[in-house]
Amino acid sequence: MSSVIAIDGPAASGKSSVARQLAEKLGHLYVNTGNMFRGVTWAVLNAGFDLKEKEAIAAYASELKLEFVNEGGHIHMLVNQRRLTDAELNSEAVNGAVSHVAQVSEVRTRLVEEQRALVARGDLVMEGRDIGSVVFPDTPHKFYIDASEEVRAARRSKQGLNDTVAMRDKLDSTRKTAPLIVPEGAIRIDSSDLTLDQVVEQVMGELRSRGVA
Ligand code: C5P
């Protein structure tokens, strides 16, 4: 059975950078599940749905052709055979819509299934909102990367991204299915006053003590 390192946390907490570096150091595959929700959202918007049409979105999402390719250790999702660009995945339209699409339970069910199937590809570092709580509740390696709201908003604007971090967090934390929580057994790291290297080192130290790294 492949090993899974679950990295959860709110928007712009630094979890993507941490997860990418960990995957590289450990030689695991890196999986960004936020990009999967973003990919489905891009397709939903491109097909012209109104975000209120939850049933139509659910039906459309279950028909989407989703494939996963390994590009240099990073798993990317193809949507209807299309490899979306970072600009498309992080557009203002997708930022504004993704947390609404992520509330549709059929979308979650479909993506959770795809995420679980990725263990067949090898050891994983998977980041998201519900990885330790719902997708892989049995993995012993769960980390929750946090940061203050001010620090997170500053990080996003430094990246030049116009994102509605607070709005997404509210929707993500209060939704009925798989809300953002600190999973049971997770180690919570507040990255507000830490450098990326310091956070990665804390996680690596913990994994070393468990004989994983
Ligand atoms: O990680 P990122 O901020 O790119 O995620 C975009 C959105 O996708 C989140 O705000 C959330 O609504 C949704 N998401 C989710 N479950 C995950 C990963 C992301 O609901 N495991």
Side-chain angles (χ1 to χ4, degrees), residues 15 33-34 37-38 98-99 102 108 128-130 168 172 175:
K15 65 183 184 309
T33 63
F37 285 92
R38 288 173 179 276
V98 64
S99 293
R108 301 206 70 81
R129 299 292 187 293
D130 59 346
R168 285 204 284 130
D172 294 344
R175 69 182 174 221

Side-chain angles (χ1 to χ4, degrees), residues 5-173:
I5 316 282
I7 311 281
D8 289 299
S13 60
K15 65 183 184 309
S16 297
S17 310
V18 172
R20 262 198 310 269
Q21 288 215 1
L22 280 175
E24 206 163 290
K25 281 181 192 282
L26 296 165
H28 288 196
L29 293 168
Y30 166 65
V31 186
N32 178 332
T33 63
N35 277 348
M36 296 187 193
F37 285 92
R38 288 173 179 276
V40 171
T41 301
W42 180 90
V44 163
L45 293 176
N46 197 47
F49 287 104
D50 184 312
L51 292 177
K52 290 193 198 83
E53 302 175 274
K54 295 244 152 64
E55 278 174 30
I57 291 174
Y60 176 73
S62 62
E63 297 291 311
L64 277 177
K65 183 170 179 170
L66 303 178
E67 292 163 288
F68 296 87
V69 291
N70 176 353
E71 289 177 16
H74 293 196
I75 299 287
H76 289 279
M77 185 177 82
L78 308 185
V79 183
N80 286 343
Q81 295 185 307
R82 190 161 182 225
R83 163 78 159 86
L84 296 166
T85 63
D86 286 349
E88 286 168 326
L89 292 172
N90 294 292
S91 70
E92 226 169 287
V94 169
N95 278 339
V98 64
S99 293
H100 296 280
V101 173
Q103 286 183 336
V104 178
S105 62
E106 290 84 352
V107 170
R108 301 206 70 81
T109 307
R110 170 91 198 265
L111 289 184
V112 167
E113 229 169 72
E114 304 284 359
Q115 289 154 12
R116 287 185 180 144
L118 290 173
V119 288
R121 308 271 187 117
D123 293 327
L124 307 175
V125 174
M126 186 177 282
E127 58 138 313
R129 299 292 187 293
D130 59 346
I131 310 308
S133 58
V134 172
V135 185
F136 291 109
D138 294 335
T139 181
H141 311 302
K142 304 181 188 183
F143 297 88
Y144 186 92
I145 312 295
D146 215 344
S148 70
E149 200 170 301
E150 297 73 39
V151 167
R152 291 188 288 116
R155 282 179 187 162
R156 266 296 141 103
S157 63
K158 216 166 144 194
Q159 292 169 343
L161 298 173
N162 187 358
D163 196 355
T164 43
V165 169
M167 184 273 286
R168 285 204 284 130
D169 284 348
K170 182 151 188 276
L171 289 169
D172 294 344
S173 310

